[in-house]
Structures are given as structure tokens and as C-alpha cells.
Amino acid sequence: MSRTATAIDRAKEQKGAAFIGYLPAGYPDRDTSIAAAIALANSGADVIEIGIPYSDPVMDGPVIQQATTEVLGRGFRLDEVFEVVKAVTDATDAAVVVMTYYNIIDRMGPETFARRLAEAGGAGAITPDLIPDEAAEWIAAAEKHDLDRIFLAAPTSTQERHRAIAEASRGFVYGVSLMGVTGKRAAVSDAAAQVVQTSKAAGAERVCVGLGVSTRAHVEEISAYADGVIVGTALVAALRDGGVDAVASLTAELSGRS
């Protein structure tokens, strides 16, 4: 059974849509990133995304780019991701998934990456630049190690693409609310609800929405039609400006716990 799906279903039974928070591995340093992710879980997050810092992101907005640039600048190594995942899974009940561009998995080897992620207690991976048509190796490795594989559905995805994403995904489908990069927005795109509706019609059991979500009003709006709400940039900015306590406070506010 998918641990991510279990966490989402448990949240729906208890409070409605799941709250999913993103933080980069190793930011601003290894120990603080672990403490922040644990605080995220203890303050209302049902699923935690641990982002792998990347030198040439295609989806991350300026706040996350700046954070991950700092991490890479201090000599970050991929082993640190598995250390962070293990520390967080050991300390919380949240499902922990990594978010990574696929060439990192490809370079290590899908089998090795999946094995190490599973050994660390990870629940799966979000791969924003990987399409199901080219994911056979990753799907096989994830299946072997009982990991979720989470693909993205966008407002521009065709009906055929939605079906392929729904069939290939396990855990949830990541519904992109707008075309562009991550970051705070004044309002949630009208396209988000349509992405969820189309994805569900294509067979997706769970669809969680991210990109541009930064306020409690956004969370409540998306919770009306999605299975989970994903917040990244606002949490990274809180960690940058106020440390672990600020992450805990913002998570409690956004998730409706405070």
C-alpha cells in the first residue's frame, strides 16, 4: 500500500484535504533542514517533500533557487538527501517523498536510487521533468522497492497525457495550477480546478495541487476540490527569514491547526 496515499486518505478522514509541505534538503544546513522538516510534520503536514538541490531548475522560482544555490555552494552531496529523509521518517509519521529532476536519478541509476531511498524510509519521488512515456526504468525500480512515483499534470496536458499520468502514478498526481515556476501568487489560477477534474476523469484516484499556494485562503479554496494542497516557496521563505520556529508557525496557520 502506498504510504503517501495512506497519509492523504487519513488526512481526508480527519480534516479534509492533506497538507503537503516542501523544503530543500540541506538548507540552510543539514541539521537545520532536518529540524525544519520535523517541525513541518509536527505542525500539520501530512506529506513532506524533500527537494534535492539542483543547479539548473526548470520549475523552481527565485526563493527556492536562491536556497538551493546556497546549499550547492557549501558542497552539498547527494548522500545528504538520504540522511535527511531517514532522520525525518525516524522522527515523524509523515510520508516523506523526494522531489528531484530526473537526471539525478538517472546518473545514480534508478535501481540504486530507489533502493537507497527505500532504505532511508522514503515513500516515493516526484519527478517534475519526467513523462510517463520515458519512465519505464524508474517505474520498474520504484515498483521493486515499493515506492510511489508521482508525475505532474498541467493545464496544457492533453486528455491522452492525463490518462498516461493517471495510469503511471502511484500515491497521487501532482496537479500544476499554472504554467510557470513556483512562487507566491495573489490568487490561485482558475486552471487548478480544471486540472483536478480532468485528471480524475482520466482515472487518477488522488490529485494534489501545487504552485502559487501561499495563504490559508488558497489552501481552503483548493481543499474544496483537491485531495491535497502543496506549499513550497512560502515555507522556504519562512525558514530563510525566521528559522525552524517560523516554519512551524506558518505550517500551523496554513494547515488550519492554529
Side-chain angles (χ1 to χ4, degrees), residues 9-77:
D9 291 351
R10 183 172 59 232
K12 287 177 70 177
E13 290 174 4
Q14 296 174 348
K15 61 180 181 180
F19 185 83
I20 301 172
Y22 165 96
L23 290 171
Y27 178 75
D29 56 65
R30 175 186 173 280
D31 290 347
T32 304
S33 76
I34 291 170
I38 292 172
L40 190 59
N42 291 340
S43 302
D46 306 288
V47 178
I48 296 174
E49 291 182 26
I50 299 295
I52 298 181
Y54 193 75
S55 60
D56 190 20
V58 297
M59 183 174 160
D60 301 329
V63 171
I64 294 175
Q65 284 188 35
Q66 180 59 41
T68 55
T69 297
E70 291 180 27
V71 176
L72 293 171
R74 67 166 174 77
F76 172 85
R77 291 290 179 267

Side-chain angles (χ1 to χ4, degrees), residues 58-59 99-102 126-131 150-152:
V58 297
M59 183 174 160
M99 184 165 188
T100 179
Y101 297 100
Y102 187 67
I126 300 168
T127 48
D129 59 342
L130 181 65
I131 57 175
I150 299 153
F151 296 96
L152 274 64

Side-chain angles (χ1 to χ4, degrees), residues 70-253:
E70 291 180 27
V71 176
L72 293 171
R74 67 166 174 77
F76 172 85
R77 291 290 179 267
L78 195 53
D79 287 349
E80 200 169 313
V81 172
F82 302 112
E83 294 168 6
V84 171
V85 169
K86 183 168 187 353
V88 178
T89 54
D90 283 351
T92 76
D93 293 329
V96 179
V97 299
V98 299
M99 184 165 188
T100 179
Y101 297 100
Y102 187 67
N103 67 350
I104 291 176
I105 296 176
D106 188 52
R107 182 166 182 176
M108 176 175 282
E111 162 61 24
T112 302
F113 187 93
R115 176 180 54 76
R116 294 192 65 183
L117 181 57
E119 288 173 350
I126 300 168
T127 48
D129 59 342
L130 181 65
I131 57 175
D133 322 44
E134 300 174 355
E137 264 193 290
W138 170 240
I139 290 172
E143 191 75 21
K144 179 179 176 182
H145 293 281
D146 195 26
L147 295 173
D148 294 326
R149 59 266 178 179
I150 299 153
F151 296 96
L152 274 64
T156 54
S157 298
T158 63
Q159 194 71 28
E160 181 180 9
R161 177 71 67 194
H162 273 287
R163 280 195 294 272
I165 292 166
E167 290 173 4
S169 294
R170 198 189 85 161
F172 66 93
V173 168
Y174 190 124
V176 177
S177 65
L178 49 85
M179 301 307 295
V181 298
T182 59
K184 292 184 178 180
R185 301 289 195 285
V188 176
S189 165
D190 293 339
Q194 186 61 47
V195 169
V196 174
Q197 182 179 354
T198 307
S199 189
K200 293 252 183 180
E205 291 186 58
R206 300 166 193 82
V207 184
C208 301
V209 169
L211 267 69
V213 184
S214 60
T215 69
R216 178 61 192 166
H218 292 163
V219 173
E220 290 177 351
E221 179 183 344
I222 294 171
S223 296
Y225 55 80
D227 300 288
V229 185
I230 304 165
V231 178
T233 292
L235 292 169
V236 179
L239 180 57
R240 177 196 62 198
D241 298 337
V244 173
D245 288 347
V247 170
S249 176
L250 181 61
T251 303
E253 175 190 335

